[in-house]
């Protein structure tokens, strides 16, 4: 019997079942290093923080319509992003239970953990760094890191990881991943364009949220959170990953 995709895989069968690839670890080191540098620069008002102000002025003068920027920024709010993750988690749990997947609830529950961790990490950092906001936000501190950006990164990233194994083809999985990245890029751009955050506020939250999503990726892969049998759409289980996957640009 063929084995189904592991959660977090992008269509390539793992050389060793149940063992996550080295990619998440390498990316995690890179994100952690970037987050450390950005946080340090913001905290001490270093050259990057000073350049951040120039980047913000350039973004405010950009051509992106304010209405579009406002809509993109709103996609990072708790009222929008969290319900999306909850709905996806419920859908995936329902599909997995119907397909007879062992521990069908585990991936969905695991995806909610990094979401719950966002305020536990972001709020103390806001208070510790106490960064003032762009001029349009008036007096006040607590703008680094961006809560909207972290919320969007984790919510949409975790939802993507949950859905990937249920998509029947490498092309569909790749397109969903690209859509997730573009959506998060749009949220950050909207926040900066509207003057709600400095660019480095957004970059720092991308790094922090990315680390949480990678942690979920590693957990789902290392615990062997796989589906049952059959190709997505036929047997009801997550899609298989093999050489028969087809679509534009399939490996």
């Amino acid at each position: 019997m063929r084995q189904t995709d592991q959660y977090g895989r992008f269509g390539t069968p793992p050389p060793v079942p149940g063992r996550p690839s080295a990619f998440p670890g390498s990316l995690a080191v890179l994100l952690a290093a970037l987050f450390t540098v950005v946080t340090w620069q913001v905290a001490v008002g270093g050259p990057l923080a000073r350049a951040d102000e120039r980047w913000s002025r350039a973004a405010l003068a950009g051509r992106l319509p304010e209405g579009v920027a406002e809509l993109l920024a709103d996609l990072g709010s708790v009222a929008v992003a969290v319900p999306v993750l909850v709905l996806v988690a419920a859908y995936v749990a329902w599909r997995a239970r119907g397909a007879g997947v062992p521990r069908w609830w585990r991936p969905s529950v695991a995806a909610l953990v990094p979401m719950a961790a966002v305020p536990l990490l972001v709020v103390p950092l806001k208070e510790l760094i106490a960064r003032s906001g762009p001029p349009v936000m008036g007096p006040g501190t607590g703008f680094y890191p961006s809560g909207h950006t972290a919320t969007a990164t984790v919510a949409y990233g975790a939802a993507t990881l949950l859905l990937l194994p249920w998509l029947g083809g490498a092309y569909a999985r790749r397109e969903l991943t690209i859509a997730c990245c573009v959506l998060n890029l749009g949220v950050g751009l909207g926040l900066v364009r509207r003057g709600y955050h400095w660019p480095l506020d957004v970059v720092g939250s991308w790094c922090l949220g990315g680390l949480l999503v990678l942690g979920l990726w590693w957990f789902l892969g290392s615990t062997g959170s796989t589906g049952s049998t059959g190709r997505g759409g036929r047997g009801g289980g997550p899609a298989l990953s093999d050489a028969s996957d087809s679509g534009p640009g399939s490996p």
Side-chain angles (χ1 to χ4, degrees), residues 203-233:
V203 173
S205 285
W206 277 338
C207 295
L208 182 61
L211 287 170
L212 292 173
V213 173
L214 284 174
L216 174 63
W217 184 1
W218 176 87
F219 173 80
L220 294 175
S222 65
T223 56
S225 297
T226 59
S228 56
T229 61
R231 183 175 289 275

Side-chain angles (χ1 to χ4, degrees), residues 3-21 107 161-166 173 217-227 238-241:
Q3 295 296 319
T4 55
D5 256 358
Q6 286 191 306
Y7 279 92
R9 303 288 180 184
F10 287 89
T12 303
V16 180
R19 180 178 300 173
S21 68
L161 287 182
L162 288 177
L163 289 172
L164 284 177
W166 296 91
R173 293 191 287 272
W217 184 1
W218 176 87
F219 173 80
L220 294 175
S222 65
T223 56
S225 297
T226 59
L240 285 168
S241 167

Side-chain angles (χ1 to χ4, degrees), residues 177-203:
T177 303
I178 293 173
C180 175
C181 294
V182 171
L183 176 57
N184 277 290
L185 180 64
V187 170
L189 181 60
L191 290 168
V192 175
R193 173 65 179 87
R194 292 292 290 131
Y196 295 148
H197 277 286
W198 303 105
L200 287 184
D201 300 345
V202 170
V203 173

Side-chain angles (χ1 to χ4, degrees), residues 88-124:
V88 169
Y91 168 75
V92 169
W94 172 71
R95 285 285 305 274
R97 185 171 184 268
V101 177
R103 297 186 180 89
W104 53 267
W105 47 267
R106 183 162 63 182
S108 294
V109 172
L112 300 178
V113 174
M115 192 72 260
V118 169
L120 300 179
L121 295 173
V122 170
V123 173

Side-chain angles (χ1 to χ4, degrees), residues 10-59:
F10 287 89
T12 303
V16 180
R19 180 178 300 173
S21 68
F23 174 71
S26 301
L27 184 55
V29 171
L30 177 62
L31 290 177
L34 182 58
F35 178 73
T36 300
V37 170
V38 170
T39 303
W40 164 57
Q41 285 290 291
V42 169
V44 303
L48 279 181
R50 293 193 292 272
D52 201 28
E53 298 178 2
R54 296 194 297 272
W55 299 335
S56 179
R57 288 193 293 270

